[in-house]
Every structure is written in C-alpha cells, then in structure tokens.
C-alpha cells in the first residue's frame, strides 16, 4: 500500500488556465498508456486530495488508464491566494486538464464536492462522459455541512495549527467506520499542516456554493451512472442518492453498508470490486 509521501512523489503536474489564472495542477496517473477504453478520472472532495483514492486507483489501473488530479487549492496543486476554488472553477480546471492531456472521453468517478464537479461536467459535456460514478456526492442543496462551513470562517485562518489538526482528526478518525488507518489520517491531513495549506483550506471551505449544484440540469446527464454510496453517511445522506436516481436518466443505486462519508476508505475492497464490475459491464 502506497503512503502519502510516495503518492506525492509519483504525481505529475501541468499548468492550466482557470478564469485567467495560470494554475499548477498535480495529478496521479497509472495504468496502460494505450487502451481501447477511455481513461477513468477520479475526483476527490473537501478536505481530501487525490490520496483519497489510494486503494481504488491501483485496482482499476490493472486494466485502464487512470487519472486522479488534486483540485486547485488542494493537495499538491496550486494553493496561493487569489483564485476561485468553487466547484464551478474546479469544473473549468477539469476541462482544461483533460484538454492538456488530450483526453476527449472519460469515465468519471467522484466523491463529496468532487461529485458536484462531476455532475456539472457530465451535464455540460455529455459527449465526453461515458460512465459516471458518484459516491456520497454533494448535489442539490445537500451542502455545505457545518464542519466545512466552520473551516471557512475567517477566524479559522488564525487558529493554532494544533487546533486545526484536532478538527481534521475529528473528521478522519471519528469519521471512520471502525478503526481509522493512521496512514490514511496522516495523508489526509498532510497538505493542510503548513502555513500555505492552512490558509488554502480556509479558502477552499469558503468557496462552497450551493447555487452551483441547484442550477444543474440533472436530466441532461446521459452517462451510465452508478450511485456507489456509503449508506450510513450523515453528511451526504443516502436520501440524496435516491433523489439522484430519480432525476439522472441512467442512474443505478448501489448502497454500501458499514460505510460513512469516506466510503472509498471505509469499504475499499468492496468499492473497488463494484466499481470494476460497473466499468466492465458498461463496456460490454
């Protein structure tokens, strides 16, 4: 199992334009260079980064090219002040990154606010997204949650690093189903425990904008869709998966029991297996 330092070392980076800003985007890439099937793109949420997919990407990369970017403001991507980090801006980043990598068709897998990015992207670019997998994704007016709203308060930029780390521990240790893996917790916290990362996390949190998901035309999504959802989540409850199943034309419900919000971590083996089955089924 790869640790977060090794994951970072294996990332590539490129610079893309978002809203007139040239921003560095780090991404983890694995799998065969040549394949008849489109790449599988993994999009994380807040306050995570691409390391969220540490147990999922390797399983899929046996057969498919995989690309897991860090959203701008997150992980090893650009963190400096002065640019928008909303899911509208992240959608623009994803579009620019895929163009930079010369990718015009994808399967899209997303969690949390990455799910909001993916929903927007799939609705606006239906010709590009063959398959869509959403896990405990923000949608409609399901967000932001209190934990994230509090991270976005201006006063959070001034708190002691120890207090910030305590809040993150609460999210990743207490938020785990069962005993949290210390390496996962350490990896999730690592980007935020510097001066730049601390401020960037606050900027990311304050950029959460419910309007960006209430305005989506969910019926415009044509991708075959799997709602691979941790059904015990209290932050993005399963009720929202059921609503998506009604509104997204080609959506299938796939609840995972014994999983809270961090479902790719809580049930990594079951998650990777069901995801692999869906990607294969959808291409036969």
């Amino acid at each position: 199992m790869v640790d977060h330092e090794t994951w970072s070392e294996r990332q590539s980076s490129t610079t893309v334009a978002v809203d007139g800003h040239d921003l560095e985007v780090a991404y983890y890439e694995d799998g065969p260079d040549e394949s008849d099937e489109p790449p599988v793109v993994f999009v994380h949420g807040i306050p995570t980064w691409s390391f969220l997919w540490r147990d999922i990407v390797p399983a899929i990369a046996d057969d498919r090219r995989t690309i897991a970017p860090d959203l701008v403001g997150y992980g090893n991507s650009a963190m400096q002040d002065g640019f928008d980090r909303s899911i509208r801006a992240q959608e623009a980043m994803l579009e620019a990154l895929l163009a930079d990598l010369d990718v015009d068709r994808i399967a899209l897998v997303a969690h949390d606010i990455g799910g909001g990015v993916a929903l927007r992207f799939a609705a606006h670019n239906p010709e590009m997204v063959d398959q869509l997998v959403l896990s405990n994704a923000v949608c409609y007016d399901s967000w932001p949650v209190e934990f994230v709203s509090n991270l976005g308060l201006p006063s959070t930029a001034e708190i002691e690093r120890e207090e910030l780390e305590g809040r993150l521990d609460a999210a990743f240790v207490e938020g785990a189903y069962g005993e949290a893996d210390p390496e996962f917790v350490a990896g999730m916290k690592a980007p935020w425990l510097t001066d730049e990362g601390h401020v960037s996390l606050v900027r990311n949190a304050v950029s959460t904008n419910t309007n960006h998901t209430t305005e989506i035309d969910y019926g415009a999504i044509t991708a075959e869709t799997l709602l691979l959802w941790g059904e015990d989540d209290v932050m993005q409850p399963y009720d929202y998966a059921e609503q998506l199943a009604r509104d997204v034309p080609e959506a299938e419900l796939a609840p995972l029991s014994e999983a809270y919000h961090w479902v790719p971590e809580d049930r990594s083996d079951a998650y990777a297996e069901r995801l692999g089955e869906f990607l294969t089924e959808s291409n036969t």
Side-chain angles (χ1 to χ4, degrees):
M1 183 181 296
V2 65
D3 59 32
H4 68 273
E5 292 96 343
T6 304
W7 183 278
S8 292
E9 290 168 1
R10 293 179 181 174
Q11 285 182 302
S12 302
S13 66
T14 189
T15 299
V16 302
V18 181
D19 299 337
H21 300 279
D22 290 334
L23 301 175
E24 184 176 6
V25 177
Y27 60 95
Y28 187 98
E29 190 167 14
D30 198 2
D33 292 331
E34 299 296 329
S35 173
D36 293 335
E37 304 299 339
V40 184
V41 178
F42 293 84
V43 188
H44 66 85
I46 187 172
T48 63
W49 56 297
S50 60
F51 187 63
L52 174 74
W53 306 107
R54 63 178 186 150
D55 292 332
I56 311 303
V57 162
I60 303 305
D62 284 343
D63 302 307
R64 297 278 289 271
R65 180 185 179 192
T66 60
I67 303 167
D70 291 340
L71 298 177
V72 288
Y74 294 74
N76 292 303
S77 289
M79 281 191 173
Q80 71 272 15
D81 255 351
F83 61 89
D84 185 16
R85 297 107 182 285
S86 70
I87 63 169
R88 179 209 59 79
Q90 305 293 357
E91 177 195 9
M93 179 281 291
L94 180 60
E95 188 169 3
L97 175 64
L98 294 176
D100 185 79
L101 298 177
D102 197 27
V103 172
D104 58 11
R105 286 177 55 235
I106 60 172
L108 190 51
V109 183
H111 177 260
D112 189 78
I113 67 164
V117 176
L119 283 161
R120 288 179 63 91
F121 190 90
H124 295 152
N125 304 277
E127 74 288 349
M128 288 187 67
V129 184
D130 290 352
Q131 300 135 311
L132 177 64
V133 180
L134 300 168
S135 296
N136 302 73
V138 305
C139 51
Y140 309 105
D141 60 352
S142 73
W143 66 305
V145 298
E146 184 178 6
F147 165 68
V148 173
S149 295
N150 288 340
L151 285 178
L153 296 173
S155 58
T156 304
E158 306 300 327
I159 65 174
E160 295 294 327
R161 192 64 41 77
E162 184 178 353
E163 182 180 345
L164 177 66
E165 188 167 5
R167 293 192 193 183
L168 294 171
D169 276 330
F172 295 117
V173 177
E174 298 171 23
Y177 195 100
E179 186 174 351
D181 181 348
E183 176 51 49
F184 175 73
V185 176
M188 287 296 99
K189 294 190 302 184
W192 315 120
L193 301 182
T194 66
D195 290 346
E196 185 179 52
H198 185 152
V199 174
S200 191
L201 179 58
V202 175
R203 303 292 186 257
N204 296 339
V206 81
S207 296
T208 51
N209 187 335
T210 312
N211 295 324
H212 293 165
T213 46
T214 58
E215 71 182 7
I216 296 172
D217 179 2
Y218 292 87
I221 297 171
T222 60
E224 292 185 71
T225 301
L226 185 70
L227 303 168
L228 189 52
W229 213 277
E231 63 180 348
D232 298 315
D233 188 7
V234 297
M235 289 196 282
Q236 297 300 322
Y238 189 68
D239 291 351
Y240 284 104
E242 293 176 325
Q243 188 172 351
L244 285 168
R246 292 190 293 269
D247 292 344
V248 176
E250 298 294 329
E252 172 190 354
L253 284 165
L256 281 176
S257 61
E258 300 180 353
Y260 294 141
H261 188 64
W262 315 118
V263 58
E265 175 69 14
D266 286 343
R267 295 292 309 279
S268 55
D269 289 345
Y271 189 102
E273 181 179 3
R274 185 66 186 91
L275 173 60
E277 289 171 354
F278 175 73
L279 294 172
T280 302
E281 291 164 1
S282 298
N283 283 287
T284 56

